[in-house]
């Protein structure tokens, strides 16, 4: 087996001051899960397609006189297939096991972690929490990614456990494909800006739905003179994100608890507004409102840049069905809906000029010392670091 | 005053396994199958963890002659050992999921195999 095919061990995960301490067995659990995810995406997932081509599709064609035309037809036809059932059950279980492993590690050391975060956050003007912020229904309706308590639930005062668990597990879930600090998305955006728009020097940057800040830290580092604001509704994420950024020496970054639909900054305040895997966790009501807010907050000549999974347009129904799996089975209720939107139309409806819309593809920028080859192989239908970037200049 | 419990009053073991909000999908027709699979997968993982721990211990004993528990917790395989350990993990997963591999191979080959009872009857009657 080639070295290239092996996912990096979780021992290489990026550690900062507020990252949980791990023992041998924590690492081994995450290593098992990373390898399980790799097995399911590269070994078993292709066989699910074989099952579709060899028996599910022919049976459908025999009954209906035509091939399935939509991902929904494929899904309903696949439900009874034993290989699909096995693959799905293993995938769901792997996700649940990942949450238990991460929470088991974090919760047994919660007291020192909370103390550490308090120490780093105490009195800082760069952390602005607002208990009056309501957690919107699209965040609280289900626990996204099967993460118990979701992004927002607080178990104790000054809780950071949701952030610590989220940060600790992504490296295993993605097989290290987002890099040591899970920041491959933010790195990709920073690199794209430097390469494609070297003269663009944003003075104020806003990141929406920042969670633990992993994708906004690279932007703050790429533009050290910029004032960077990262918002989220979830306090346990923000406390952790702020402590994490502070311990990484990133000082031009303020974390604010706020609803991205309505922010109290003046019109045209920001030069760059970024999101990473944010819109698919929104809702049909919230997404257009938030896009309007993005348009309002951008200065003329400013940029809205958004990293997302690929849209379903033009995909064959089977691939769209596989990519849709998370919507139905991994608590991502808006995923299915969001991926069929015409994003250009959405941006235009929010006020952007049709001619200023763009769409491109970017790959996660990873730490070559732990993941020597570019991560262009091993598509995991939703988790791999191959993204659509869409947006518009104002 | 906060209504939240004190940290010392939390039960980390139970909380680690808290059910996520949202109806859980069951993929097999019989939920018993799902339950057994779920338990088997955790046993599989914990076996992998034990195997990794043993491997780490063996390597430490080999290289140092003596290993303490603290040393074991700090053990980090070098690049070669990491590759060997990861390869073992992949072989292990393939062993555990042998039935799935064999079912997919049967599907791909497309050959229809008669029940053994039919073959037994054939052997019996095939003078």
């Amino acid at each position: 087996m080639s070295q290239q095919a092996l996912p990096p061990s979780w021992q290489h995960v990026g550690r900062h001051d507020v990252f949980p301490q791990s023992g041998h067995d924590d690492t081994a659990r995450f290593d098992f899960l990373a390898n399980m995810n790799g097995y399911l995406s590269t070994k078993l997932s292709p066989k699910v397609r074989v099952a579709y081509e060899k028996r599910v599709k022919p049976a459908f064609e025999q009954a209906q006189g035509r091939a399935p035309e939509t991902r929904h037809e494929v899904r309903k036809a696949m439900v009874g297939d034993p290989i699909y059932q096995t693959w799905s059950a293993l995938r769901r279980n792997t996700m649940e096991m990942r949450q238990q492993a991460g929470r088991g590690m974090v919760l047994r050391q919660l007291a020192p972690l909370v103390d550490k975060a308090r120490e780093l956050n105490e009195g800082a003007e760069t952390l602005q929490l607002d208990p009056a912020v309501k957690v919107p229904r699209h965040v609280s309706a289900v626990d996204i990614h099967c993460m118990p308590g979701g992004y927002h639930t607080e178990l104790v005062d000054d809780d950071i456990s949701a952030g610590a668990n989220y940060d600790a597990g992504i490296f295993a879930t993605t097989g290290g494909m987002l890099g040591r600090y899970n920041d491959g998305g933010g790195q990709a955006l920073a690199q794209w800006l430097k390469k494609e728009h070297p003269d663009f020097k944003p003075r104020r940057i806003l990141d929406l739905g920042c969670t633990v800040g992993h994708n906004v830290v690279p932007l703050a580092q790429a533009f050290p003179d910029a004032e960077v604001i990262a918002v989220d509704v979830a306090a346990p994420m923000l406390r952790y994100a702020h402590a994490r950024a502070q311990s990484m020496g990133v000082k031009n970054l303020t974390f604010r608890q706020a609803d991205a639909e309505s922010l109290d900054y003046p019109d045209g305040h920001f030069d760059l507004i970024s999101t990473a895997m944010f819109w698919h966790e929104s809702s049909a009501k919230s997404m257009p409102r938030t896009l309007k807010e993005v348009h309002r907050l951008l200065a003329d000549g400013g940029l809205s840049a958004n990293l997302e999974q690929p849209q379903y347009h033009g995909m064959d129904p089977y691939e769209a069905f596989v990519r849709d799996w998370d919507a139905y089975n991994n608590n991502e209720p808006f995923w299915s809906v969001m991926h069929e939107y015409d994003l250009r139309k959405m941006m235009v409806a929010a006020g952007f000029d049709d001619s200023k819309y763009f769409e491109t593809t970017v790959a996660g920028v990873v730490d070559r010392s732990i993941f020597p080859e570019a991560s262009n192989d091993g598509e995991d239908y939703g988790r791999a670091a191959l993204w659509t970037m869409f947006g518009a200049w104002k | 005053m906060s209504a939240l419990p004190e940290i010392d009053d939390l039960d980390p073991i139970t909380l680690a396994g808290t059910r996520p909000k949202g109806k859980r999908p069951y993929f097999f027709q019989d939920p018993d199958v799902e339950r057994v699979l779920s338990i088997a997968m955790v046993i599989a993982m914990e076996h992998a963890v034990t195997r990794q721990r043993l491997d780490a211990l063996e390597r430490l004993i080999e290289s140092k002659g003596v290993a303490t528990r603290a040393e074991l917790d700090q053990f980090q395989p070098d690049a070669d050992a990491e590759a060997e350990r990861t390869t073992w993990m992949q072989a292990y997963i393939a062993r555990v999921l042998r039935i799935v591999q064999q079912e997919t191979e049967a599907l791909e080959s497309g050959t229809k195999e008669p029940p053994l009872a039919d073959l037994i009857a054939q052997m019996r009657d095939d003078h």
Side-chain angles (χ1 to χ4, degrees):
Chain A
M1 183 166 293
S2 72
Q3 186 80 9
Q4 185 189 335
L6 302 176
S9 165
W10 192 81
Q11 67 166 318
H12 300 296
V13 74
R15 290 164 203 277
H16 41 78
D17 288 355
V18 76
F19 197 81
Q21 301 280 314
S22 56
H24 171 279
D25 292 2
D26 297 308
T27 304
R29 275 186 200 104
F30 282 126
D31 285 349
F32 175 84
L33 292 167
N35 281 278
M36 262 315 289
N37 284 329
Y39 176 90
L40 293 174
S41 62
T42 63
K43 297 276 195 285
L44 194 48
S45 177
K47 307 298 181 187
V48 181
R49 177 149 207 155
V50 171
Y52 173 69
E53 300 289 350
K54 284 222 164 201
R55 63 184 172 207
V56 175
K57 194 175 164 200
F60 185 98
E61 283 168 342
Q62 193 153 33
Q64 306 282 330
R66 60 170 177 84
E69 283 161 9
T70 68
R71 65 184 196 276
H72 303 294
E73 284 187 345
V74 176
R75 188 180 74 252
K76 283 168 194 158
M78 288 296 281
V79 162
D81 186 83
I83 292 175
Y84 169 74
Q85 290 170 340
T86 305
W87 173 74
S88 293
L90 290 170
R91 224 178 142 189
R92 170 78 190 202
N93 271 293
T94 306
M95 182 58 68
E96 291 175 3
M97 287 155 77
R98 168 263 169 274
Q99 296 299 349
Q100 188 173 27
R103 283 166 64 84
M105 177 176 67
V106 167
L107 294 172
R108 71 167 192 258
Q109 56 183 300
L110 188 56
L113 283 177
V114 165
D115 285 347
K116 191 82 211 175
R118 270 187 193 135
E119 215 175 280
L120 288 157
N121 293 339
E122 192 89 72
E125 285 173 12
T126 41
L127 176 63
Q128 298 171 13
L129 298 180
D130 179 1
V133 170
K134 280 204 178 114
V135 176
R137 180 158 159 73
H138 58 262
V139 174
S140 67
V142 294
D143 288 344
I144 293 165
H145 312 137
C146 304
M147 181 165 69
Y151 297 109
H152 57 288
T153 300
E154 306 192 272
L155 300 174
V156 293
D157 286 330
D158 294 341
D159 192 16
I160 47 86
S161 60
N165 173 44
Y166 184 93
D167 196 21
I170 313 173
F171 189 86
T173 308
T174 58
M177 284 204 285
L178 299 181
R180 192 185 294 271
Y181 288 98
N182 308 306
D183 60 357
Q187 298 274 14
L189 176 54
Q191 205 175 77
W192 180 82
L193 283 168
K194 292 247 146 118
K195 190 164 166 251
E196 303 292 329
H197 303 282
D199 297 331
F200 181 59
K201 298 268 187 291
R203 290 158 306 154
R204 295 199 196 97
I205 299 172
L206 173 67
D207 186 65
L208 302 178
C210 64
T211 63
V212 296
H214 47 313
N215 287 311
V216 70
V217 161
L219 287 178
Q221 287 169 326
F223 299 103
D225 298 328
E227 182 191 358
V228 188
I229 311 287
V231 303
D232 204 286
V233 291
M237 290 286 161
L238 292 163
R239 284 188 203 103
Y240 182 83
H242 182 261
R244 179 184 181 276
Q246 290 291 306
S247 80
M248 292 169 95
V250 178
K251 307 290 183 189
N252 59 328
L253 177 51
T254 297
F255 289 91
R256 279 195 73 187
Q257 189 173 14
D259 188 333
E261 277 186 31
S262 138
L263 295 163
D264 57 7
Y265 296 100
D267 295 359
H269 191 70
F270 293 98
D271 303 306
L272 169 63
I273 302 182
S274 61
T275 68
M277 317 306 149
F278 168 70
W279 299 109
H280 71 247
E281 292 179 11
S282 181
S283 75
K285 237 191 219 174
S286 179
M287 186 173 171
R289 281 188 202 156
T290 309
L291 281 172
K292 272 197 182 118
E293 187 67 347
V294 169
H295 183 263
R296 180 185 76 78
L297 290 168
L298 269 182
D300 289 338
L303 170 68
S304 155
N306 307 277
L307 290 175
E308 261 299 346
Q309 305 297 334
Q311 295 298 97
Y312 293 152
H313 306 296
M315 250 178 219
D316 83 76
Y318 179 84
E319 188 177 347
F321 144 76
V322 172
R323 286 181 177 274
D324 224 30
W325 189 92
D326 286 79
Y328 292 87
N329 305 303
N330 191 21
N331 283 352
E332 293 268 20
F334 189 50
W335 176 291
S336 188
V337 184
M338 188 262 155
H339 286 99
E340 58 188 18
Y341 282 158
D342 182 333
L343 296 172
R344 175 188 288 272
K345 269 191 190 160
M346 302 270 300
M347 294 290 282
V348 170
F352 287 95
D353 188 327
D354 186 64
S355 67
K356 303 280 184 67
Y357 178 82
F358 69 91
E359 221 169 275
T360 184
T361 304
V362 292
V365 174
V366 301
D367 187 336
R368 289 288 168 94
S369 67
I370 56 159
F371 206 92
E373 298 297 325
S375 54
N376 289 333
D377 300 328
E379 172 62 283
D380 193 12
Y381 303 112
R383 292 195 200 126
L386 294 169
W387 303 298
T388 293
M389 179 158 70
F390 73 96
W393 295 87
K394 187 172 167 187
Chain B
M1 277 300 284
S2 163
L4 297 173
E6 297 294 322
I7 287 184
D8 291 347
D9 294 335
L10 295 182
D11 170 5
I13 294 174
T14 305
L15 277 175
T18 303
R19 189 187 84 84
K21 182 179 174 186
K23 189 173 165 59
R24 190 193 193 284
Y26 282 76
F27 299 96
F28 298 104
Q29 281 185 352
D30 184 344
D32 289 350
V33 175
E34 190 95 18
R35 193 173 305 115
V36 172
L37 177 86
S38 183
I39 293 167
M41 285 310 297
V42 179
I43 294 171
M45 177 169 76
E46 293 304 315
H47 170 65
V49 169
T50 305
R51 177 64 178 73
Q52 293 289 71
R53 199 168 178 95
L54 193 60
D55 175 78
L57 187 61
E58 285 168 356
R59 286 174 197 274
L60 277 167
I61 286 169
E62 193 174 55
S63 64
K64 299 192 179 194
V66 167
T68 65
R69 204 174 167 80
E71 279 175 319
L72 184 60
D73 265 331
Q74 293 308 312
F75 178 79
Q76 297 199 336
D78 61 21
D80 287 346
E82 183 181 325
E84 283 175 30
R85 285 158 63 92
T86 307
T87 303
W88 180 89
M89 199 75 91
Q90 293 183 346
Y92 170 68
I93 289 168
R95 282 200 293 277
V96 170
L97 296 178
R98 184 196 62 253
I99 188 166
V100 181
Q101 179 185 337
Q102 294 184 353
E103 284 179 0
T104 58
E105 281 176 5
L107 172 70
E108 281 179 295
S109 77
T111 48
K112 291 234 172 9
E113 289 174 304
L116 254 294
D118 293 358
L119 282 178
I120 291 165
Q122 279 174 29
M123 298 302 134
R124 186 190 59 216
D125 300 335
D126 192 19
H127 294 294

